[in-house]
Amino acid sequence: MSEVLIKIDGREIKVPEGINIIEAARMLNIEIPHFCYHRHLSIAANCRMCLVEVKNSPKLLPACQTKVLNGMEIFTNTERVKRAQAAIMEFLFINHPVDCPICDQAGECYLQDYYMKFDKTLSRFKEEKVKKRKAFRIGPRVIYDAERCILCTRCVRFMEEIIKRPVLGIKYRGNRGYITTFGDRPFDDPYSINTADICPVGALTSYDFRFKVRVWELTNTNSICWGCSKNCSILVCHKNNTVYRFLPRENENVNRFFICDEGRLSYRLIHTDRLTNALRKGNEVDIDGATSFINEIINGSPKEVSIVVSPSLSNESIYLIGRLAKDVLGLDAVYFVMTQKWADDGILKNKIRDFNYYGFEKIMKAMDIRYSELKTDLQLKKNVLLFGANMKDEYKNILAKRRIMLFDTHRDGFVDSADVAISISSIYEEEGTVINADGILQRYEKAIDGGAKPLVVYLRDMLSGLDDEYLFESAELIFDNFLSPLLGLSEITFRGISNSGVKV
Amino acid sequence: MSDLNERVQEITVNMGPSHPAMHGTIRLLITLVGEKVVRCDTQIGYLHRAFEKMSEANKWQAIFPYTDRLNYVSPLMNNVGYAQAVEKLIGIDIPERTKYIRVLLCELSRIADHLTCIAAASMELGAFTVFLYCMEGRDLIWDRIEELTGARVTPAYIRIGGLARDLPEGFLDRTLSILPRIEKVIGDVDALLTENPIFIERMRGTGVISQADAIEIGFTGPCLRSTGIKHDLRKKSPYLVYDRLEFDIPVGSNGDNYDRYMVRMEEMRQSIRIIRQVVRDMPGGKISIDNTMYILPPKEVVYNTIEGVVNHFKLIIDGIQVPAGEVYDATEAANGELGFYLVSDGGGKPVKCRVRSPSFALMQGLEKMVVGGSLADIIPTFGSINMIGGECDR
């Protein structure tokens, strides 16, 4: 990729040839305001907010559409540019409703942010604002407010170019234009909420999130989605140990900048039907009693214990399960169970929903442990350690006649029927790593406190007889000392894993 | 009869932090030989409420209520001091009318503070009538402040770049009308105390601090001026409109309790002089700057235009954005130099908001002032320092 030398606001910089001025300015930490431009979408250049002055050009040029040329001199802060920015804002505000107090976008709204930075003037408009359809349920998960819409067409281009289902468009023109589907059909695309993400104003908003919380009250933590084995990078948005939403996180290696609606809304599972403390056949018991019960069996009759894994666990947990199998229980094979699959959709969704199935495969192979799907109970020993219980009914019948000792995050009828069930933290209440269907290893961070301990804590307990058990103290130690060499990642430490993950 | 050659035992008594004769929460560990003070271990901090840490967690404009509670006897002066420092850091020029109003309120607060100090110190000596007379004077001032700001002691009236609201109709006339009554109060106190032999006996020559010691310890304000040093920020580095006003700086000569009383009495008369000039010269015009990046836009604009609502919204949610940098600015508060050292990283909250508290420096001198004197002298000495817990401990 060849480079060109350009000047922005008097500062020289070498940039790749052919990038647009907005991206070039970003490399110098210069912000050029824009609405319709989006790095991953086609250029529309309809908002005109990014107009900049370029030497030898008589007119201001849109920075999103203008590619840099060698020797180009660009000015983003002259009087002409400032007047243009204030003028664009004045036009955009003319018909914009006075909605800030009731608009969900407040605090992450381009109009608000740009007014304070690039406008600061009052309007000369004295007439009545145009009235359009408001708080319109354009789809089951998205609400559209035509009065707030600035017709930037980001949503239109997203559906057409990224999802390849061009269901949105502008109807009418000029003052009367608004976004809609053909014939007002429901906008129920499985990726619909992404249009609310990329909408720079409060025109498209998420129905699920409506009026729940103000965004500046939320803390954002880097994590991954537990919906399927694509492991889309997300931000967990939380306050006071409650998660309010998932947002997509930019990751060129995995999901670029968006996520599917179902994965996005799966945050609700963090706070529903959670298993707390421990159960013995559905009755609440204290955890210490439950763990001693399990430890007695493991220590007393290790040869009579089988392991069944539901691969929605972290790499670190899976590694320790492998050590448990080999070094304590003398097993050279484990079983796995899976949740209901869904269809590969060619966009993000991967048919295997157990989010760390691929990590499970890789680690079992590297540890030389055979793994097979649980099909019959012929080889199953009397006692079964079941890690994760989110699985299809057919497995439950196979396990019916065994003594079940399970660790899981959620509670249902099957968990209630187990001999012992101990609660563990979900991936949003701990830190660890996972590997996705494309072989990308990602680290997820702890977002909230859940009350339950991570599975690795209980596994370490069961491995207390081993010499190197002191290295099982944390996910970081397990990764640095065991997983990293096992997966051939010798240079990479737990804390050093980049935000876009690493290929294994 | 005791033999004076007998070795007299030292005894250490504890005074405070809660004590009927102490104004504020202060603990003194006083080592006595008989009645004579040989050591006075001064322990402050009982009213430390982490003002500086709280400032780091609050937006620039949200700190004003905290400043009210620094020197809670003259809160408007704290408001003004803080606002002035922030305005210096941003580079704001406030309107003329604002400057005059701020001077008016500062001088009214100064009178209230001095009345409180003299009242409390005199009451400790048994002059209860003086206390009540001064309270009447102070209440007249507080009535004006309540009319203007809505509260007597928690006004939070100053804003960065201006004021909360303009003066009500007739406020200046009513302010002028209380001045004769306050002058009468000062006159009556004067008649009761200044040539009173008991008062002179208790206050002359007690609580003495030398000029050299005062300077070294960092004294400012009436306590410094009582030693003979004519240092007042209103003259030395004039701010607001003090350079256009005529007033004198009273100075003592002995650095004792009596001189501090006299300095404060005269300062009140000078403050009244200043107030009359300010009312005479008060200009019209606006009371806040126009730039709505620092001042909230007017309500009609906020309620009716999207630009107004966005502006108001972002100022409240993000805070005013103060350019990165640091500044120190000080004003002559009732107790001396009240300074604010501010550090900004360009955002909506201060990185650091340090208060240079006048009474903190004064408390350092307390031991020097009482050692060698008798136990009973500690009362008027401590009273004449006018330590205000909120300001000293922050």
Side-chain angles (χ1 to χ4, degrees):
Chain A
M1 169 72 79
S2 57
E3 291 197 320
V4 292
L5 181 66
I6 60 169
K7 242 197 213 173
I8 307 185
D9 292 342
R11 294 157 66 183
E12 280 199 337
I13 183 174
K14 273 212 176 72
V15 296
E17 187 178 16
I19 64 167
N20 63 56
I21 295 178
I22 292 187
E23 296 301 329
R26 195 198 299 262
M27 293 179 185
L28 282 169
N29 278 334
I30 296 176
E31 181 187 7
I32 297 180
H34 53 271
F35 292 99
C36 66
Y37 170 71
H38 190 285
R39 189 157 7 154
H40 296 92
L41 302 174
S42 64
I43 305 292
N46 59 45
C47 75
R48 312 314 281 181
M49 191 67 191
C50 65
L51 295 175
V52 291
E53 215 171 314
V54 176
K55 195 145 182 240
N56 296 328
S57 166
K59 295 185 72 144
L60 299 177
L61 298 179
C64 62
Q65 198 172 46
T66 311
K67 308 271 185 278
V68 296
L69 296 172
N70 202 31
M72 203 179 229
E73 274 184 55
I74 301 152
F75 304 93
T76 70
N77 214 14
T78 64
E79 284 310 306
R80 259 178 98 193
V81 169
K82 289 191 208 178
R83 272 196 309 242
Q85 289 167 342
I88 302 294
M89 294 299 294
E90 190 177 5
F91 276 128
L92 287 173
F93 277 135
I94 279 175
N95 280 314
H96 197 81
V98 188
D99 273 1
C100 291
I102 54 168
C103 175
D104 275 342
Q105 200 84 358
E108 49 183 16
C109 172
Y110 284 39
L111 282 175
Q112 280 188 339
D113 295 342
Y114 291 164
Y115 177 80
M116 298 302 277
K117 284 194 205 149
F118 302 103
D119 184 1
K120 312 183 205 184
T121 65
L122 288 177
S123 181
R124 292 169 283 185
F125 183 71
K126 303 284 180 248
E127 324 303 324
E128 271 206 27
K129 295 186 186 240
V130 167
K131 290 194 173 13
K132 293 180 178 171
R133 58 163 58 155
K134 208 157 172 64
F136 178 73
R137 193 91 180 264
I138 196 176
R141 297 177 287 281
V142 183
I143 300 186
Y144 177 66
D145 189 314
E147 289 179 358
R148 300 176 188 169
C149 180
I150 58 173
L151 296 174
C152 69
T153 65
R154 272 185 174 194
C155 53
V156 174
R157 285 175 282 141
F158 172 80
M159 290 311 296
E160 169 157 6
E161 297 160 19
I162 307 291
I163 306 303
K164 308 224 197 301
R165 289 189 279 266
V167 292
L168 294 177
I170 299 183
K171 188 167 176 183
Y172 302 138
R173 57 195 292 192
N175 228 6
R176 301 174 49 201
Y178 62 93
I179 302 286
T180 187
T181 52
F182 183 73
D184 273 349
R185 276 157 211 210
F187 175 44
D188 59 1
D189 194 282
Y191 287 81
S192 64
I193 309 183
N194 292 296
T195 55
D197 278 348
I198 56 169
C199 179
V201 301
L204 286 168
T205 49
S206 160
Y207 181 77
D208 172 78
F209 187 67
R210 190 172 177 77
F211 300 153
K212 271 206 187 138
V213 67
R214 284 308 211 177
V215 301
W216 59 82
E217 300 179 75
L218 297 172
T219 316
N220 294 347
T221 305
N222 291 355
S223 192
I224 54 108
C225 171
W226 58 358
C228 76
S229 55
K230 186 72 178 176
N231 297 349
C232 293
S233 299
I234 59 169
L235 292 170
V236 178
C237 308
H238 56 97
K239 173 177 107 148
N240 288 343
N241 282 333
T242 310
V243 177
Y244 286 85
R245 64 175 183 179
F246 285 168
L247 284 180
R249 179 164 56 95
E250 276 213 33
N251 186 340
E252 274 306 313
N253 294 335
V254 182
N255 60 311
R256 276 179 293 162
F257 66 100
F258 60 103
I259 50 177
C260 70
D261 285 2
E262 204 164 333
R264 180 194 292 266
L265 295 178
S266 67
Y267 79 89
R268 296 174 184 155
L269 295 171
I270 301 174
H271 299 298
T272 41
D273 295 334
R274 290 297 296 271
L275 176 60
T276 55
N277 294 318
L279 302 171
R280 291 277 296 266
K281 286 238 170 279
N283 299 312
E284 283 254 353
V285 296
D286 77 295
I287 299 190
D288 287 330
T291 49
S292 352
F293 179 86
I294 296 182
N295 283 325
E296 266 171 40
I297 296 181
I298 292 178
N299 296 327
S301 31
K303 297 280 180 248
E304 298 183 35
V305 183
S306 286
I307 288 185
V308 179
V309 178
S310 168
S312 290
L313 306 167
S314 64
N315 290 334
E316 289 74 23
S317 301
I318 291 171
Y319 173 76
L320 289 187
I321 291 172
R323 292 294 299 269
L324 183 68
K326 279 201 322 200
D327 299 341
V328 175
L329 303 176
L331 298 168
D332 61 356
V334 299
Y335 294 103
F336 67 87
V337 290
M338 308 194 81
T339 53
Q340 198 70 34
K341 292 188 189 166
W342 62 15
D344 254 357
D345 70 357
I347 303 178
L348 287 178
K349 288 178 173 165
N350 186 288
K351 65 176 177 300
I352 294 186
R353 300 193 62 176
D354 308 274
F355 63 84
N356 201 18
Y357 175 76
Y358 292 92
F360 169 73
E361 271 199 344
K362 259 216 161 51
I363 295 174
M364 291 295 103
K365 285 200 182 105
M367 292 176 86
D368 216 17
I369 300 176
R370 284 180 294 118
Y371 56 96
S372 56
E373 197 181 347
L374 185 67
K375 295 261 193 251
T376 79
D377 66 351
L378 283 177
Q379 305 274 35
L380 267 184
K381 309 245 171 49
K382 195 165 66 169
N383 303 297
V384 172
L385 269 174
L386 177 57
F387 296 102
N390 183 23
M391 53 199 187
K392 295 186 279 202
D393 288 332
E394 58 200 62
Y395 307 114
K396 296 176 188 174
N397 298 329
I398 297 170
L399 291 167
K401 295 210 200 74
R402 297 292 186 274
R403 176 189 276 148
I404 308 287
M405 303 173 291
L406 76 81
F407 292 84
D408 197 19
T409 51
H410 287 73
R411 180 177 177 174
D412 61 6
F414 178 72
V415 170
D416 275 359
S417 72
D419 294 83
V420 179
I422 296 182
S423 64
I424 56 173
S425 54
S426 71
I427 55 169
Y428 304 109
E429 297 147 8
E430 60 176 38
E431 56 175 12
T433 60
V434 288
I435 300 179
N436 81 351
D438 307 311
I440 308 286
L441 175 123
Q442 295 186 79
R443 175 168 67 89
Y444 57 88
E445 295 174 2
K446 178 174 171 175
I448 58 174
D449 276 321
K453 298 205 184 101
L455 179 56
V456 292
V457 172
Y458 295 110
L459 287 167
R460 182 192 178 190
D461 225 31
M462 294 184 232
L463 296 164
S464 54
L466 299 183
D467 281 342
D468 50 358
E469 66 83 38
Y470 68 97
L471 290 171
F472 302 157
E473 181 170 356
S474 68
E476 178 175 4
L477 280 173
I478 298 172
F479 183 88
D480 287 343
N481 288 296
F482 303 104
L483 283 174
S484 184
L486 203 64
L487 298 168
L489 297 170
S490 43
E491 257 102 74
I492 304 203
T493 60
F494 187 75
R495 300 272 165 236
I497 300 171
S498 95
N499 281 337
S500 355
V502 58
K503 184 97 173 69
V504 299
Chain B
M1 281 305 288
S2 62
D3 183 344
L4 287 172
N5 289 331
E6 228 175 85
R7 206 191 61 168
V8 180
Q9 203 182 19
E10 275 184 4
I11 181 173
T12 302
V13 293
N14 176 70
M15 206 169 171
S18 158
H19 188 101
M22 301 311 266
H23 321 297
T25 48
I26 273 287
R27 184 182 188 212
L28 302 179
L29 288 163
I30 307 164
T31 308
L32 297 165
V33 170
E35 282 278 326
K36 195 164 90 149
V37 178
V38 294
R39 208 170 156 222
C40 176
D41 185 5
T42 316
Q43 297 186 351
I44 60 170
Y46 290 92
L47 198 49
H48 179 74
R49 293 159 299 175
F51 169 86
E52 295 182 10
K53 185 63 189 178
M54 290 303 287
S55 304
E56 294 171 19
N58 280 284
K59 313 283 189 312
W60 293 97
Q61 70 267 30
I63 292 174
F64 280 108
Y66 291 109
T67 59
D68 272 347
R69 289 147 176 86
L70 287 173
N71 185 330
Y72 37 73
V73 191
S74 50
L76 283 161
M77 291 174 114
N78 305 138
N79 288 176
V80 168
Y82 171 72
Q84 204 162 284
V86 181
E87 286 155 4
K88 184 170 171 185
L89 185 51
I90 299 175
I92 290 180
D93 253 322
I94 54 177
E96 285 299 295
R97 184 174 171 82
T98 311
K99 291 184 189 166
Y100 276 88
I101 294 178
R102 285 187 183 182
V103 170
L104 172 65
L105 297 172
C106 281
E107 294 311 313
L108 277 175
S109 303
R110 193 186 310 277
I111 298 173
D113 203 316
H114 287 344
L115 282 174
T116 313
C117 173
I118 292 172
S122 311
M123 182 171 72
E124 301 308 315
L125 299 178
F128 196 68
T129 309
V130 168
F131 176 79
L132 292 177
Y133 283 5
C134 291
M135 289 301 107
E136 184 193 342
R138 187 176 75 168
D139 236 67
L140 289 169
I141 296 172
W142 280 356
D143 280 346
R144 295 302 103 237
I145 294 180
E146 185 192 27
E147 177 191 354
L148 176 63
T149 71
R152 285 144 59 90
V153 277
T154 52
Y157 172 73
I158 311 295
R159 297 284 175 270
I160 296 166
L163 307 168
R165 66 190 68 80
D166 206 339
L167 305 178
E169 189 83 35
F171 177 82
L172 292 173
D173 289 330
R174 286 188 285 279
T175 304
L176 279 180
S177 73
I178 66 172
L179 296 180
R181 182 68 204 140
I182 297 178
E183 282 171 318
K184 176 91 172 37
V185 164
I186 298 174
D188 286 345
V189 169
D190 192 19
L192 284 171
L193 294 180
T194 307
E195 285 171 23
N196 182 318
I198 300 175
F199 188 73
I200 294 174
E201 186 74 31
R202 294 292 310 265
M203 301 282 271
R204 260 254 173 277
T206 56
V208 177
I209 186 114
S210 69
Q211 275 192 4
D213 281 341
I215 294 176
E216 181 169 339
I217 292 174
F219 273 36
T220 53
C223 295
L224 174 66
R225 295 192 277 277
S226 73
T227 69
I229 298 179
K230 198 166 186 165
H231 177 85
D232 186 315
L233 288 179
R234 294 174 292 170
K235 293 280 192 198
K236 277 283 152 67
S237 49
Y239 53 96
L240 294 172
V241 292
Y242 283 108
D243 51 354
R244 298 179 217 170
L245 301 168
E246 280 176 27
F247 60 102
D248 297 317
I249 307 296
V251 162
S253 41
N254 300 314
D256 61 5
N257 287 330
Y258 189 78
D259 278 4
R260 283 188 280 277
Y261 155 79
M262 290 298 283
V263 164
R264 288 204 172 89
M265 290 290 278
E266 189 54 37
E267 276 192 15
M268 286 196 281
R269 295 194 185 95
Q270 294 301 316
S271 288
I272 294 177
R273 193 174 162 199
I274 293 174
I275 292 173
R276 290 207 164 100
Q277 292 170 60
V278 164
V279 171
R280 177 196 76 203
D281 297 342
M282 176 74 67
K286 52 191 188 189
I287 45 112
S288 294
I289 58 171
D290 287 328
N291 187 347
T292 56
M293 292 294 115
Y294 300 110
I295 281 277
L296 291 177
K299 280 286 182 262
E300 322 82 70
V301 172
V302 172
Y303 287 152
N304 291 310
T305 68
I306 178 70
E307 288 84 352
V309 111
V310 166
N311 196 338
H312 181 110
F313 200 93
K314 292 296 270 185
L315 283 181
I316 301 297
I317 298 307
D318 289 348
I320 65 173
Q321 308 288 299
V322 172
E326 50 187 45
V327 74
Y328 176 79
D329 199 31
T331 51
E332 183 75 28
N335 280 339
E337 173 168 337
L338 172 67
F340 283 87
Y341 171 68
L342 304 171
V343 179
S344 170
D345 62 355
K349 299 183 196 170
V351 167
K352 176 83 179 174
C353 174
R354 157 112 179 99
V355 179
R356 190 272 172 195
S357 146
S359 30
F360 182 81
L362 299 177
M363 285 311 289
Q364 292 176 114
L366 179 63
E367 189 171 15
K368 270 216 155 58
M369 292 156 92
V370 300
V371 160
S374 72
L375 177 62
D377 292 335
I378 295 183
I379 309 300
T381 307
F382 180 71
S384 75
I385 287 179
N386 197 32
M387 184 224 63
I388 305 291
E391 177 191 82
C392 180
D393 298 341
R394 285 147 286 157

